[in-house]
């Protein structure tokens, strides 16, 4: 499982971010992520990016680790931003390459998307690198996400590790038996049979586990004994996070003139 | 097939969540009616969700390159109405563990992939009356990718993201015989262009997924038929 780098909790276990109450942390980060993902003002987006860097520092996460975690989603966004940049649109033309015109508007749009997406991803990474997954599930339970969905979430999380180990073994055994990728029906059939077998094996195991759990009195409620009781300082922190999350939208609102009637 | 965090405007994101929640309520109610106690289905849903998750990491070697499977069609064929729940949880896990997709776009992404999965189940069942399992499964899963592509284009259109009106490209391509006629037909309608580009990008995936599912479903039918939705409504269970 190490190859996927899932569950990165082990980094720098002792930082203020690690010690924070999980409910506080999840609510505060979610508020920020939602707000940052839709921010329209490029300066505020840059501010959010700086804030996310600050979060990495406070959580004492190695930069290299964070960079590796955000690399593949970042690449996606980069390609998307590049497509947006090259697609042009109306406005002042900055450069012309062949039939493509890069306008000021499209450059601003692409930069905004790149910055706000990166900061949202970094914030989520910090949250997940400093919080155990079962704690996150517990918080979701406290936040009243339906138990039926949470049970599926918890079970799937467990199976992912079983599955990817199993898949790795199957791939190794196929390779050692001389399997080489060629573009032929036989290759597709081999891969499909491998995936099919993986599904069947895991289904049988999952069914057994579930039945034995039910026999032992499992009802679906998370039985984590830890109480995430929030104290005054937690409420204060969440309030500050929500205020910041709302505040970064003020410049865009002022610009669009919605606030003018109030001020 | 994922849209990343920070790309779509607030309105589209909110609409995605609203549609997702409505669809979840509908499909859970529908599954209760169909299967009775759906808690019994938790292991199956979780296994398929994990498979869906792992399959998205698995790269099928297609020389000279390789591509990721999506398997939303297979999810639909295996779970029927429960497919949306599975895809929602799978994408939630991907967002949490890999920052693939994102939390705010979870609603949009789940609808874009989950709705076609359920439709694939209908298509599969309809085709099964006339064709064999392999052909039905292959066509149904290819169709679900096609539908996802279409929904993705609708999302882009709703978000006001269009990749230019193509007029510049039309001028450029006027010398090339086939391309120029395609481009001039699409020029001016940004929706047509977005669909065209996305379709072109997803065409290999559509074909590969179709072929893979055409092999997987008959394999499961042979080895463990009770996993297929048709067989798990209590009639064929021994316990």
């Amino acid at each position: 499982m190490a190859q996927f780098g899932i569950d990165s909790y082990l980094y720098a276990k002792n930082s203020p971010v690690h010690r924070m109450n999980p409910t506080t942390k999840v609510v505060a980060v979610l508020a920020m992520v939602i707000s940052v993902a839709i921010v329209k003002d490029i300066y505020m987006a840059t501010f959010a990016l700086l804030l996310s860097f600050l979060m990495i520092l406070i959580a004492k996460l190695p930069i290299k680790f964070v960079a590796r975690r955000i690399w593949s989603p970042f690449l996606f966004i980069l390609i998307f931003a590049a497509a947006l940049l090259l697609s042009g649109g109306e406005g002042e033309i900055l450069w012309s390459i062949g039939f493509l015109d890069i306008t000021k508007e499209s450059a601003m749009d692409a930069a905004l998307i790149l910055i706000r997406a990166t900061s949202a991803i970094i914030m989520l990474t910090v949250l997940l690198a400093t919080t155990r997954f079962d704690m996150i599930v517990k918080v979701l339970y406290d936040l009243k996400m339906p138990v039926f969905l949470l049970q599926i979430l918890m079970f799937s999380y467990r199976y992912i590790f079983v599955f990817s180990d199993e898949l790795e073994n199957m791939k190794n055994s196929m390779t050692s038996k001389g399997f080489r990728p060629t573009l032929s029906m036989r290759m597709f059939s081999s891969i499909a049979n491998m995936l099919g077998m993986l599904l069947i094996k895991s289904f049988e195991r999952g069914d057994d586990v579930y039945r034995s759990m039910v026999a032992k009195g499992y009802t679906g409620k998370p039985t984590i004994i830890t109480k995430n009781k929030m104290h005054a300082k937690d409420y204060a922190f969440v309030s500050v996070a929500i205020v910041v999350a709302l505040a970064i939208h003020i410049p865009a609102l002022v610009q669009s003139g919605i606030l003018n009637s109030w001020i | 097939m994922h849209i990343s965090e920070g790309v779509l405007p607030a309105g589209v994101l909110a609409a995605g969540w609203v549609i997702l929640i409505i669809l979840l309520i509908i499909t859970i109610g529908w599954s209760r009616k169909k299967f009775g106690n759906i808690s019994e289905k938790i292991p199956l849903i979780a296994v398929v969700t994990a498979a869906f998750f792992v399959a998205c990491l698995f790269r099928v070697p297609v020389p000279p390159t390789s591509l990721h499977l999506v398997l939303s069609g297979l999810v639909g064929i295996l779970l029927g109405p429960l497919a949306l729940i599975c895809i929602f949880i799978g994408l939630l896990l991907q967002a949490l563990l890999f920052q693939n997709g994102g939390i705010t776009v979870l609603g949009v992404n789940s609808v874009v992939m989950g709705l076609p999965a359920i439709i694939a189940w209908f298509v599969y069942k309809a085709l099964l009356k006339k064709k064999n399992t392999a052909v039905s499964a292959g066509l149904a899963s290819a169709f679900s990718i096609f539908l996802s592509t279409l929904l993705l284009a609708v999302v882009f259109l709703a978000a006001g993201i269009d990749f230019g009106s193509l007029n510049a490209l039309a001028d450029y391509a006027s010398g090339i015989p086939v391309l120029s006629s395609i481009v001039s037909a699409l020029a001016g309608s940004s929706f047509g262009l977005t669909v065209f580009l996305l379709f072109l990008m997803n065409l290999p995936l559509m074909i590969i997924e179709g072929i893979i599912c055409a092999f997987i479903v008959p394999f499961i039918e042979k080895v463990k038929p009770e996993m297929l939705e048709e067989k798990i409504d209590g009639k064929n269970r021994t316990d």
Side-chain angles (χ1 to χ4, degrees), chain B residues 173-188:
Chain B
S174 58
I176 310 160
V178 183
L179 192 62
S180 67
S181 56
I182 296 175
V183 167
S184 60
L186 291 168

Side-chain angles (χ1 to χ4, degrees), chain B residues 71-127:
Chain B
L71 292 189
S72 56
L74 181 67
V75 171
I77 292 168
L78 286 175
L79 293 178
L82 291 167
L84 185 70
I85 301 168
C86 166
I87 282 172
F88 167 62
I89 299 284
L91 289 176
L92 175 62
L93 278 169
Q94 283 195 13
L96 288 177
L97 299 175
F98 292 123
Q99 287 79 47
N100 220 330
I103 295 293
T104 53
V105 282
L106 193 57
V108 172
N109 281 341
S110 307
V111 174
V112 164
M113 291 171 77
L115 199 59
I118 297 180
I119 294 171
W121 176 62
F122 283 114
V123 173
Y124 171 70
K125 278 179 54 165
L127 283 174

Side-chain angles (χ1 to χ4, degrees), chain A residues 167-185:
Chain A
L167 189 68
E168 206 53 37
N169 287 342
M170 286 174 153
K171 263 156 72 181
N172 286 344
S173 76
M174 272 172 86
T175 315
S176 63
K177 282 167 194 157
F179 173 79
R180 295 286 174 274
T182 50
L183 202 58
S184 67
M185 277 298 162

